Amino acid sequence: MDRLTILRPDDWHLHLRDGAMLKAVLPETARDFARAIIMPNLVPPVIRGQDAAAYRERILAALPDGMSFEPLMTLYLTEDTDADDVAKAAGSGLIKAVKLYPAGATTNSASGVRDFQKVEPVLERMAEIGLPLCVHGEVTDPEIDIFDREAVFIDRALDPIRRRHPNLKVVMEHITTSEGVAYIGETEKNLAGTITTHHLIINRNHILVGGIKPHYYCLPVAKRESHRLALRKAATSGDRRYFLGTDSAPHTDALKEHACGCAGVFSATNTMSCLAHVFEEENALDRLEAFASRNGPALYGLPTNPETLTLEKQSDPVKFPAKIETGDGPVTVFDPGFDLYWRVI
């Protein structure tokens, strides 16, 4: 097979930032993706419905002429979140989910949740109205090894939440472990997981062997090879519970190549080529549409996109820019470490 046409894909986990960065990176997503779940961890965070409405307007204003893209907005869950405001924003169609960050888990998560009991009223209301909860699934206790944070979060936080709220739709975002895959695989309803482009390709050796590679550093951090293989098996299975969320997260090179470098991999530019490569390696090109275009809308209760996207395999490697220039500084594009031959036409 050297040509593949699928329904136009969506990205169910995307960071666009704001200002000059937003203007520079938005076209990289809008080129291939029809919609994306937009992360709310700005500074200050997108906490209320009015914040989401204003951010959505800034995104649409930054969209280049001739491009079609729908930002699917979310709210940042805090211990002071107003359940009525969440319900109002959801009822109007403004937001499609609420995002749970354990405090301190990742970039701009200081306003996240420390005491899960304080957000119980919001979770109860979300379960009633069918609004999904997107979860950054890591504990942040300093005594827990960074490579164990996801597995511990499932046992200590996520499973109790789901037992208390069985009707709550939950998306475990950017799963990175075989434990995450197994937990989702054992569940029949109201639980799904997004998988990033880079976690299908890199393991922790890519970050650490031969010197620290800051542009592979992300949170949740890439794990050992056995976990990467479990993610590949899940993503390419066609199982409706797994779908694409790139977690494409731009940081300038100055902030990545730093004594305390920022976590995030920017993959919007070449994600579809990377995915075609991975799915071809797994003899699963016929399942790429499910992962990238069908399973996400099904979980969120949205229609699939009517447009299509075509990938073509060429004889010479596809040339992608090494960096995207922004008004804040250059952003390095994810390097999978091998040549890519599939390109979007």
Side-chain angles (χ1 to χ4, degrees):
M1 183 185 295
D2 60 9
R3 183 181 286 250
L4 177 67
T5 297
I6 63 174
L7 294 175
R8 192 176 176 198
D10 301 304
D11 185 347
W12 298 97
H13 184 131
L14 177 67
H15 296 270
L16 288 176
R17 312 303 187 202
D18 215 341
M21 182 67 77
L22 164 64
K23 187 174 182 179
V25 302
L26 176 58
E28 301 302 300
T29 288
R31 186 178 300 118
D32 294 339
F33 296 93
R35 300 171 293 197
I37 285 282
I38 308 301
M39 291 296 102
N41 57 332
L42 303 182
V43 180
V46 179
I47 294 174
R48 296 159 298 190
Q50 65 189 41
D51 303 329
Y55 187 26
R56 184 177 187 275
E57 289 306 309
R58 296 198 298 277
I59 294 170
L60 293 175
L63 188 66
D65 292 341
M67 279 191 160
S68 172
F69 177 74
E70 181 182 2
L72 306 175
M73 308 309 294
T74 65
L75 294 181
Y76 186 121
L77 183 63
T78 75
E79 294 175 4
D80 298 318
T81 293
D82 183 343
D84 290 336
D85 182 66
V86 170
K88 181 180 178 181
S92 71
L94 173 63
I95 65 166
K96 301 302 181 188
V98 169
K99 179 61 181 279
L100 166 61
Y101 291 104
T106 189
T107 302
N108 301 337
S109 61
S111 300
V113 177
R114 288 180 169 82
D115 183 352
F116 289 98
Q117 291 298 320
K118 291 183 178 179
V119 298
E120 284 291 299
V122 178
L123 300 183
E124 183 176 353
R125 182 72 68 85
M126 290 172 61
E128 291 174 358
I129 64 178
L131 185 66
L133 176 70
C134 296
V135 175
H136 182 111
E138 292 188 288
V139 297
T140 57
D141 311 51
E143 67 271 16
I144 303 298
D145 190 289
I146 191 170
F147 293 104
D148 297 330
R149 286 181 171 186
E150 183 174 296
V152 173
F153 181 86
I154 292 171
D155 292 337
R156 184 185 293 179
L158 182 57
D159 196 60
I161 287 173
R162 294 187 59 249
R163 291 182 184 277
R164 292 194 299 271
H165 305 281
N167 294 321
L168 178 66
K169 284 185 179 181
V170 177
V171 180
M172 290 179 63
E173 297 197 304
H174 45 48
I175 58 173
T176 60
T177 62
S178 56
E179 290 90 347
V181 170
Y183 184 66
I184 293 168
E186 294 166 356
T187 305
E188 290 299 320
K189 65 176 184 176
N190 293 335
L191 180 65
T194 62
I195 302 175
T196 77
T197 312
H198 54 281
H199 284 117
L200 293 172
I201 293 172
I202 67 170
N203 60 34
R204 62 190 187 181
N205 281 1
H206 290 81
I207 306 171
L208 299 170
V209 172
I212 294 174
K213 313 296 193 308
H215 295 288
Y216 290 142
Y217 172 59
C218 54
L219 288 173
V221 69
K223 308 299 193 295
R224 64 173 67 243
E225 178 68 358
S226 60
H227 296 293
R228 186 186 75 91
L229 295 178
L231 295 175
R232 277 206 173 203
K233 183 176 180 180
T236 60
S237 67
D239 190 317
R240 60 179 174 78
R241 292 168 290 192
Y242 307 103
F243 47 89
L244 175 64
T246 67
D247 194 17
S248 183
H251 293 286
T252 62
D253 287 355
L255 292 176
K256 291 289 292 179
E257 301 165 4
H258 192 270
C260 187
C262 292
V265 171
F266 180 69
S267 61
T269 303
N270 58 2
T271 273
M272 291 311 300
S273 293
C274 288
L275 290 180
H277 180 101
V278 168
F279 275 67
E280 183 179 39
E281 283 191 334
E282 300 295 327
N283 297 311
L285 277 172
D286 58 325
R287 297 171 185 165
L288 178 56
E289 183 177 73
F291 180 70
S293 311
R294 291 189 177 276
N295 295 346
L299 184 284
Y300 279 90
L302 297 172
T304 55
N305 297 308
E307 307 92 356
T308 60
L309 177 144
T310 297
L311 290 143
E312 183 177 70
K313 191 175 184 181
Q314 60 187 44
S315 57
D316 298 323
V318 184
K319 302 296 184 183
F320 289 102
K323 301 179 186 295
I324 300 298
E325 296 297 332
T326 82
D328 294 330
V331 173
T332 292
V333 175
F334 173 61
D335 177 5
F338 46 75
D339 288 334
L340 296 168
Y341 293 90
W342 287 93
R343 69 182 181 96
V344 177
I345 62 172

